[in-house]
Amino acid sequence: MNTEHQHRKNRGRPISLNSYETVHLKKPQAGENIEITVKSGVIRIAGNQSNNAKDITLAFACRADAFKFHYPEDLEITIEAITDTTYVVESIGKKGSDTSDAIMEWIIQLHIVRNETNLENRLMKFFRLLITRLGKRTPEGLLLEHTLPHARIAEIIGSTRSTVSRTIGSLRKSQQIYIDELKEQIILPVD
């Protein structure tokens, strides 16, 4: 579902989205960066070029993040709620020595995952990255409290949906991961 929230008009006010609802993020004025503060939930930040309908995953953000980034010139940014989410968007001036860019940090990590040659290893690296950045440690193992559709995972790791589905099935059989379908959770056992 696509909604048309006006981020510039709602500057600093909480924006709520239901799971898998998307919004376009307006570009800030010249010389400004974006800061997204997730109050609850998890969001996916995607980009696409105006002449290309396919979007690509750039990053994820959750409640623990103060997500600051430079809006890429040649992309349109979309925010997708992975879970029911509330967040705040603000345009901020560039601070002299602050050159951090959360999108670039994620792109580098996703690039490392995508360049793993073995698909099982690539998928496990991806799950570990998500759990490290968005999950938590429990007595059962490392927990990611939401799942992504197999087609989305395939887009991110550079595979096909059917291959991802088969590989996840193989990882489950070998007990390298546990997936609770009802709770939509993934658990990686800790050795």
Side-chain angles (χ1 to χ4, degrees):
M1 172 186 268
N2 189 16
T3 60
E4 292 299 323
H5 290 282
Q6 296 295 323
H7 286 281
R8 303 288 295 169
K9 291 180 183 174
N10 291 335
R11 178 183 283 175
R13 292 187 355 193
I15 299 166
S16 295
L17 298 176
N18 296 320
S19 294
Y20 298 104
E21 197 172 15
T22 63
V23 296
H24 293 285
L25 183 64
K26 291 194 180 253
K27 290 187 179 191
Q29 295 178 2
E32 292 183 330
N33 286 336
I34 298 287
E35 181 175 21
I36 299 174
T37 305
V38 180
K39 301 293 185 185
S40 65
V42 177
I43 60 172
R44 173 181 161 265
I45 296 138
N48 71 337
Q49 293 179 322
S50 56
N51 59 351
N52 185 357
K54 182 181 176 191
D55 69 342
I56 55 171
T57 300
L58 301 175
F60 293 88
C62 67
R63 191 173 66 115
D65 291 333
F67 199 87
K68 297 177 187 175
F69 64 95
H70 173 74
Y71 199 117
E73 290 291 323
D74 58 342
L75 293 179
E76 294 175 9
I77 301 292
T78 302
I79 294 175
E80 176 185 14
I82 300 301
T83 63
D84 291 348
T85 304
T86 301
Y87 65 97
V88 175
V89 175
E90 293 184 87
S91 295
I92 55 174
K94 292 182 183 175
K95 296 178 183 150
S97 63
D98 186 9
T99 59
S100 64
D101 189 322
I103 286 181
M104 288 307 296
E105 291 171 17
W106 268 96
I107 287 173
I108 291 166
Q109 292 300 312
L110 292 172
H111 182 72
I112 290 167
V113 165
R114 195 172 182 146
N115 279 288
E116 172 65 48
T117 55
N118 178 286
L119 186 62
E120 276 192 14
N121 292 342
R122 193 180 327 160
L123 196 52
M124 288 301 291
K125 276 186 175 182
F126 176 64
F127 287 147
R128 282 190 191 100
L129 173 63
L130 286 182
I131 289 173
T132 301
R133 301 286 299 266
L134 308 173
K136 61 184 177 183
R137 182 177 286 279
T138 68
E140 294 81 29
L142 302 172
L143 173 67
L144 185 63
E145 296 181 294
H146 60 278
T147 58
L148 294 171
H150 292 185
R152 178 62 61 212
I153 295 170
E155 172 260 314
I156 294 168
I157 69 168
S159 187
T160 63
R161 187 213 45 83
S162 59
T163 302
V164 165
S165 296
R166 275 194 309 276
T167 306
I168 287 174
S170 173
L171 292 171
R172 289 174 83 172
K173 270 186 190 173
S174 64
Q175 299 182 343
Q176 293 181 60
I177 62 171
Y178 300 100
I179 298 178
D180 186 330
E181 308 268 342
L182 294 175
K183 292 181 181 178
E184 296 184 356
Q185 296 178 338
I186 299 173
I187 297 175
L188 292 181
V190 179
D191 297 330

